[in-house]
Structure formats: C-alpha cells, structure tokens
C-alpha cells in the first residue's frame, strides 16, 4: 500500500500533466476547426450544394476525405480525450491542405512525431548539398534506408520525373516506383527494379518494425499498389549493391548508368546515391539533361 504522502506526490505529478494535455487537446481542436473553415469544397473536389451555411468544409466532409469516422472526428474537434495515430494525423494534414509549418504544428499539438520525410533533415548539411551540386552533371541524391529522398541535385530532379513538382512527403523511391506513372515509365526494367527495391526495403525494415514512419509507408504502398502487395508477399530479402541501370528519360532518351551508394552514416543509414554514365552516348545525353536542368533553374 502507498502512503498518503506518496499519493499526494503522484497526484501533484499527474494533475499538471493532465492540465497540459487538456490545454493541448483544446488547442488542437481549435486549430482543426480553423483549418477546416478556410477550405472551400471546390478546393478538394467536393460539390458545394445549395444549402451550405457552414464556412469551409463540414466535419463529415473532413472525415470522408481523411477516411475516419464522423463521430470520431467530431470528438477530436470537441477536445475529447481520445488517441490519435500518426496515420490519422497524416490523413488530416492532407485533407486540410496543410503547408509544412501547419503540418508540423498539428503533430506538435498532438504530441506525435511526424513520420513523413522532413523538408529539412539534420543529416543534410550545407556541405552535402554543395557536394551534390559538384557531382553534376551526374545525377545524385541523398536517401535514408526507407528510400526517402532527402535532397537531390538538379540533374536528378529531371532524371525520372519532374521531382520538384512532387510533394516532399511523397518523395520516396518506393512510393514513386509503384504509384507515379512518370517515374515508372522512366525505368526500363521496372518489374525487376520493383522486386529488388521491395527486397531491400524488407531487409532494412527488420530493424524498424515498430516505427510509425516505416509502418505508415508500408500501409500506403499496400493500399495504393496491388503490384507492391504481390511483390511484398514474396518475402524476398537482398542487401544493397552496386548495379547497372537503364532509364528512359523523356527529354534525352535512353541512359545506361552505374548506380553507386556512398554511405554517409552507419551502414543502412543515410547514403548518397550517384548515377555515372556507363557509355559515351549516355554521358553526352546526361550532359544535355544537366544543361536543361540548369536552364530550368535559371542558372548557368
């Protein structure tokens, strides 16, 4: 049995935490309401209808867009004491068209860690960004073991698709290889590449099975790609290795390249991915692609 003094001490610790949690829930509720009310139905592809008194979106519309229950979302806006997963927070951020600052604020209010790749990453230093530029005209990017593209140079930005047009949270090579039509059409041996990437992803995920970011990416891939489900269910595992690849670039044509991973952290951590032309024709075409990328960027 605990003493009265111990009970008092426990309550003293719990009460401030409870008050803080309550304040946080009310701030979260107010923030969600304010973001909901600023969005028109037309912005998210919904019909306005004749009798609309609610400014912005209705609660049931946000619930529909986020694939959550209406009652559950209503409780969230009422600051009820309910658990919110990072997957639901991610869905709400997308449904409410939150920008990066608003998205970060949403996760802070929910006392959760955003599992999507950040637009800025501590491992991406100014020196590494400068190195990416110095590698040009060769395409290069920085990736983590989850295949998130953390940074890239201008040539890489035009290699497989218009990467700068892809939202930062969707810049993941696994996701792009299975769901982005432009990216997929640029890979000459697509099925072989998908199987290899899925096998590498499975091998890397063994050390991150409980982490929300990994689980959420796996769920997105399963939900959005039957091809991925079929490939994933093979349970193939393979380690990273240097490999020759072929791309079909929309601007300069076919490119044969040698893929190399340059590890910049512990093995299977952050790495610099580089593509060096495998023949003279690919080298000339890559230089043309780099020139186009510079022109797009307004540089010389």
């Amino acid at each position: 049995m605990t003493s009265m003094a111990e009970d008092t001490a426990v309550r003293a610790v719990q009460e401030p935490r409870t008050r803080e949690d309550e304040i946080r829930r009310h701030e979260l509720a107010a923030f969600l309401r304010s973001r909901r009310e600023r969005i028109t139905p037309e912005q998210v592809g919904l019909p306005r209808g004749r009798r609309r008194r609610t400014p912005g979106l209705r609660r049931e519309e946000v619930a529909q867009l986020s694939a959550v229950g209406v009652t559950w979302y209503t409780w969230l806006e009422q600051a009820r004491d309910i658990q919110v997963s990072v997957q639901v927070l991610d869905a709400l951020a997308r449904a409410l068209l939150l920008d990066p600052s608003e998205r970060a604020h949403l996760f802070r209010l929910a006392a959760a860690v955003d599992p999507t790749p950040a637009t800025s990453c501590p491992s991406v230093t100014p020196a590494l960004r400068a190195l990416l530029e110095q590698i040009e005209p060769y395409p290069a990017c920085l990736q983590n073991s989850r295949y998130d593209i953390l940074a890239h140079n201008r040539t890489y930005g035009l290699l497989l698709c218009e990467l700068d047009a892809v939202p930062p949270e969707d810049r993941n090579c696994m996701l792009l290889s299975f769901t982005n039509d432009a990216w997929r059409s640029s890979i000459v041996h697509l099925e072989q590449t998908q199987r290899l990437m899925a096998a590498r992803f499975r091998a890397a995920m063994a050390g991150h099975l409980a982490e929300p970011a990994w689980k959420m990416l796996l769920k997105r891939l399963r939900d959005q790609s039957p091809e991925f489900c079929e490939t994933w269910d093979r349970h193939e595992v393979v380690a990273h290795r240097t490999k020759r690849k072929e791309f079909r670039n929309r601007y300069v044509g076919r490119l044969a390249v040698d893929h190399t991973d340059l590890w910049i952290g512990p093995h299977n951590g952050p790495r610099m991915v580089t593509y060096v032309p495998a023949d003279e024709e690919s080298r000339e075409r890559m230089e043309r692609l780099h020139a186009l990328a510079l022109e797009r960027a307004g540089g010389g």
Side-chain angles (χ1 to χ4, degrees), residues 183-204:
W183 188 283
R184 289 159 55 85
S185 66
S186 297
I187 300 174
V188 174
H189 305 290
L190 179 61
E191 184 179 353
Q192 177 184 342
T193 299
Q194 288 174 331
R195 287 186 63 177
L196 180 62
M197 291 183 70
R200 288 177 172 177
F201 181 67
R202 182 180 286 281

Side-chain angles (χ1 to χ4, degrees), residues 12-254:
V13 171
Q14 289 177 337
E15 286 173 3
R17 185 178 304 159
T18 302
R19 286 197 300 271
E20 181 180 337
D21 290 343
E22 184 178 356
I23 293 170
R24 190 188 301 275
R25 289 198 306 273
H26 279 86
E27 285 292 324
L28 176 60
F31 181 66
L32 289 172
R33 284 195 300 272
S34 70
R35 300 303 90 180
R36 171 172 61 83
E37 292 172 355
R38 71 172 185 174
I39 299 173
T40 64
E42 293 84 356
Q43 285 179 279
V44 291
L46 295 175
R48 170 167 288 277
R50 292 185 176 181
R51 297 184 177 181
R52 177 174 290 271
R53 297 189 182 93
T54 305
L57 296 177
R58 299 187 178 102
R59 284 174 175 171
E60 57 266 29
E61 290 170 333
V62 175
Q64 174 191 338
L65 292 168
S66 307
V68 299
V70 177
T71 300
W72 187 91
Y73 179 74
T74 300
W75 287 349
L76 197 57
E77 281 203 7
Q78 291 174 344
R80 301 265 191 113
D81 189 4
I82 57 176
Q83 295 296 316
V84 190
S85 70
V86 292
Q87 291 86 352
V88 168
L89 290 170
D90 175 72
L92 288 172
R94 294 171 187 273
L96 296 171
L97 307 179
L98 302 187
D99 65 25
S101 297
E102 292 168 334
R103 181 185 174 95
H105 185 63
L106 172 70
F107 276 84
R108 281 196 297 270
L109 289 177
V113 177
D114 189 347
T116 62
T119 52
S120 61
C121 176
S123 63
V124 183
T125 63
L128 284 173
R129 290 187 183 277
L131 185 56
L132 284 175
E133 290 189 10
Q134 290 300 312
I135 289 174
E136 291 181 326
Y138 303 153
C141 71
L142 297 177
Q143 291 181 19
N144 59 18
S145 56
R146 202 171 56 237
Y147 282 105
D148 296 326
I149 301 171
L150 307 175
H152 62 278
N153 64 18
R154 292 162 293 196
T155 313
Y156 187 91
L158 292 182
L159 180 64
L160 291 143
C161 73
E162 303 281 349
L163 189 56
D164 289 339
V166 176
E169 63 269 21
D170 293 337
R171 292 179 193 170
N172 175 280
C173 293
M174 285 285 292
L175 196 63
L176 292 167
S177 295
F178 282 96
T179 66
N180 183 286
D181 289 339
W183 188 283
R184 289 159 55 85
S185 66
S186 297
I187 300 174
V188 174
H189 305 290
L190 179 61
E191 184 179 353
Q192 177 184 342
T193 299
Q194 288 174 331
R195 287 186 63 177
L196 180 62
M197 291 183 70
R200 288 177 172 177
F201 181 67
R202 182 180 286 281
M205 190 172 180
H208 306 273
L209 292 174
E211 294 180 23
W214 289 76
K215 292 193 293 184
M216 195 171 93
L217 176 57
L218 181 59
K219 184 178 186 303
R220 284 191 69 186
L221 286 161
R222 279 195 167 279
D223 290 346
Q224 296 180 24
S225 174
E227 281 180 304
F228 173 78
C229 293
E230 181 180 347
T231 303
W232 186 251
D233 290 341
R234 295 173 185 267
H235 288 266
E236 295 174 332
V237 178
V238 69
H240 283 269
R241 62 178 183 269
T242 298
K243 180 178 175 60
R244 179 155 296 182
K245 294 186 176 183
E246 290 184 79
F247 299 129
R248 191 183 300 108
N249 184 266
R250 61 179 296 189
Y251 297 110
V252 299
R254 199 177 181 103

